[in-house]
Every structure is written in structure tokens, then in C-alpha cells.
Amino acid sequence: MYRTGIGYDSHRFAAGRPLVLGGVTIADGGGLDGHSDADAVLHAITDAVLGAIAAGDIGEHFPPTDNKWRDAPSSLFLQHAVKLAKEKGYAIGNCDVTVLAEAPSLGPHKQAMRESIAKLLAVDLGAVSVKAKTNEKMGFVGRREGIAAIAAVTVMPA
Ligand code: MG
């Protein structure tokens, strides 16, 4: 049977860090604060995979209090979630992500993010969608305080 999970994450901007979204380093944007590399996109997808298999959330698997994960690439988190899904007998069906950022403009980076995410999920490019939106200058995203991401992932019996 098919199962679906959703994930959400947000991080505030921080000086002196690279901006990493969907596993892609984006040179024209300020970085995000966080214990790991603060990749809000991969964190949302990781939670969506964990949600689909009812395996808790990213904070349970990778506590921010654990120094082991300081500046860790978030690809590790996502790959772990995919492995857990596999162990439970599931393969990833598809992944759909919306990234909310007032700046930088993420349109030019959507394709690179899709390719990176498809690789991490071990699925075809056609199974991964990345959409970028501003928040129409409203709220914390609109004030350029941070970036948020929402993801949905479907899994199916392997
Ligand atoms: Mg996060």
C-alpha cells in the first residue's frame, strides 16, 4: 500500500555560513543558522520520508544536542531516512517540495536541487518536483529573516 508523509522546516539567516538548499550550495544567497548545514529543504524531505513510514522525526534520529551532527551535511539525514524506509520494505515513489524564500531568487537553482534530491532518494528525476515561492513580503520569510520548506513524499512497497 502507498503511504504519504509531509515535512516542514525553517531556518533563520546567519552571517558567515554558505546557503545550502536541497544539497546544493547557492552562491548568491546568505547562509542559514543551524546545528547541521541547515539545509531546510533536505530537513523537510527527511521528515516527510520519516512521516510516510511513521518513524518519528528528524530531531529524534539526529538530536541537535549531539555534537556529532555539528555542520553535518544534511544528505546524511535524508539517506538514513531512505534506508529506514527500505528496511521497512518501502521504496520512494515521488517527492514534491515547495521552498519559501524572499531572497535569493531560487528559480535558477530548482533544476540543480531536483537533480541532487533525486540522487539522494535514488529515484528518477521525473519523481522529484521543486517549486520556489516568495511569501509576498509577509511574515518571517517576507522580512527575509529566514527560509522555510514544505515537502511531501510518497512511498510504495519495494
Ligand atoms: Mg532543520
Side-chain angles (χ1 to χ4, degrees):
M1 109 192 222
Y2 285 80
R3 300 174 62 124
T4 303
I6 59 164
Y8 168 84
D9 196 37
S10 60
H11 284 264
R12 63 176 68 241
F13 285 114
R17 283 172 63 97
L19 177 62
V20 183
L21 291 174
V24 176
T25 301
I26 293 168
D28 52 341
L32 298 169
D33 195 21
H35 188 68
S36 63
D37 65 3
D39 188 331
V41 171
L42 292 192
H43 293 183
I45 298 171
T46 300
D47 261 351
V49 173
L50 293 173
I53 58 170
D57 61 38
I58 192 169
E60 290 173 40
H61 293 273
F62 303 98
T65 48
D66 191 336
N67 258 330
K68 202 166 29 170
W69 311 119
R70 175 155 295 285
D71 297 325
S74 297
S75 53
L76 291 180
F77 308 157
L78 181 54
Q79 283 170 323
H80 178 74
V82 171
K83 184 171 148 259
L84 287 180
K86 203 173 171 186
E87 284 167 8
K88 284 181 177 254
Y90 290 101
I92 304 298
N94 75 299
C95 169
D96 185 21
V97 190
T98 297
V99 195
L100 299 157
E102 210 67 31
S105 174
L106 296 177
H109 305 286
K110 288 191 293 188
Q111 186 65 12
M113 284 193 260
R114 284 182 72 205
E115 288 168 9
S116 163
I117 294 162
K119 205 178 214 179
L120 292 170
L121 294 174
V123 297
D124 291 341
L125 188 60
V128 177
S129 155
V130 173
K131 310 184 300 301
K133 301 179 79 73
T134 69
N135 215 33
E136 296 286 333
K137 297 187 173 137
M138 296 180 290
F140 72 88
V141 168
R143 291 188 297 269
R144 303 184 179 211
E145 292 170 11
I147 285 177
I150 303 163
V153 166
T154 297
V155 299
M156 57 194 180

